Amino acid sequence: MKNIAIFASGSGSNAENIIRYFQNHPYVRIDSVWSNKKEAYVLQRAHNLGVETKYFTREQFSGSDQMIKELQNRNVDLVVLAGFLWLVPPEFVDAFTIINIHPALLPTYGGKGMYGSFVHESVVRNQEKESGITIHLVNKEYDKGEHILQVKCPVLPDDTPDTLAARIHELEYKYFPKAIEDFLSRVWSA
Ligand code: GAR
């Protein structure tokens, strides 16, 4: 069995979708959902689905090895970032394999401050013809790790940031859990 810890800062619709996808899965288990925001709706969603939830502070995340030890004690094999907004500290990157989803076609529209609606606002403002999602490994720089999967979608002339966000979310729901599953079977069966 491979254990996943999900990190998320916001609403958590991707986290919920991933939890549902892996319910009763033969070799993947969602161990826990972690958030740096006490009030984040993701914690409620996870709790409703019977997944253990954890809140953590910046000091716990980057000031000590407490969280790393706890995740290792829980036998977490993979950390999945699903709308998680802090830069992951180097010691974390060294300790775990980490996968992130970004709501644009990296390397464009990535980096510090480029998340969620800010990404879609920039894409619409620049009248891009296409956007999409990038699922990638996390390294020590924002949005710079090796790509696992990119999927494109059109940006329509009358799109607003909200209509584009909805289209991108649909792509995320369709591709993110499967990409995680494929990654796990590829890496751990090798
Ligand atoms: C998702 O669109 C995800 O790609 C994005 O935040 C959203 C979270 O939505 N992540 C980033 O922007 C990371 N840079 P959700 O909370 O409903 O899953």
Side-chain angles (χ1 to χ4, degrees):
M1 194 55 92
K2 296 298 167 195
N3 283 316
I4 294 178
I6 299 174
F7 287 15
S9 305
S11 160
S13 68
N14 275 285
E16 175 167 349
N17 183 51
I18 293 165
I19 293 168
R20 289 187 186 281
Y21 185 89
F22 288 112
Q23 272 169 346
N24 309 314
H25 193 277
Y27 63 87
V28 179
R29 181 181 157 266
I30 305 302
D31 171 77
S32 43
V33 169
W34 301 64
S35 186
N36 58 320
K37 295 244 172 73
K38 226 181 227 155
E39 307 305 325
Y41 187 51
V42 66
L43 296 176
Q44 188 63 51
R45 290 185 195 258
H47 177 77
N48 291 347
L49 290 164
V51 175
E52 193 172 337
T53 60
K54 297 270 187 177
Y55 160 74
F56 60 93
T57 63
R58 197 177 276 281
E59 291 67 37
Q60 288 165 331
F61 190 42
S62 48
S64 76
D65 61 1
Q66 178 194 332
M67 258 181 84
I68 292 177
K69 289 232 168 80
E70 183 167 355
L71 288 159
Q72 286 170 338
N73 288 338
R74 301 177 72 97
N75 296 317
V76 164
D77 299 289
L78 179 71
V79 173
V80 169
L81 311 185
F84 181 68
L85 303 184
W86 284 352
L87 182 65
V88 178
E91 59 272 22
F92 241 93
V93 175
D94 290 336
F96 298 102
T97 302
I98 309 172
I99 294 179
N100 181 43
I101 189 158
H102 188 78
L105 299 171
L106 292 174
T108 53
Y109 300 101
K112 192 169 164 52
M114 270 295 172
Y115 59 86
S117 56
F118 295 113
V119 175
H120 307 307
E121 280 162 21
S122 303
V123 169
V124 167
R125 194 181 320 116
N126 291 342
Q127 301 181 314
E128 298 287 358
K129 296 279 175 293
E130 58 182 17
S131 188
I133 60 171
T134 306
I135 297 166
H136 66 95
L137 290 170
V138 171
N139 65 13
K140 292 171 188 171
E141 293 176 272
Y142 266 118
D143 300 328
K144 290 277 177 65
E146 184 189 327
H147 291 186
I148 294 171
L149 178 71
Q150 275 193 323
V151 186
K152 293 178 181 176
C153 67
V155 180
L156 304 176
D158 59 352
D159 262 333
T160 65
D162 283 349
T163 58
L164 179 59
R167 192 173 306 120
I168 298 276
H169 261 123
E170 288 308 316
L171 283 188
E172 296 185 327
Y173 303 150
K174 181 167 177 195
Y175 289 100
F176 198 17
K178 181 83 171 74
I180 295 166
E181 184 180 39
D182 290 349
F183 178 83
L184 284 174
S185 55
R186 204 166 58 240
V187 169
W188 272 287
S189 68

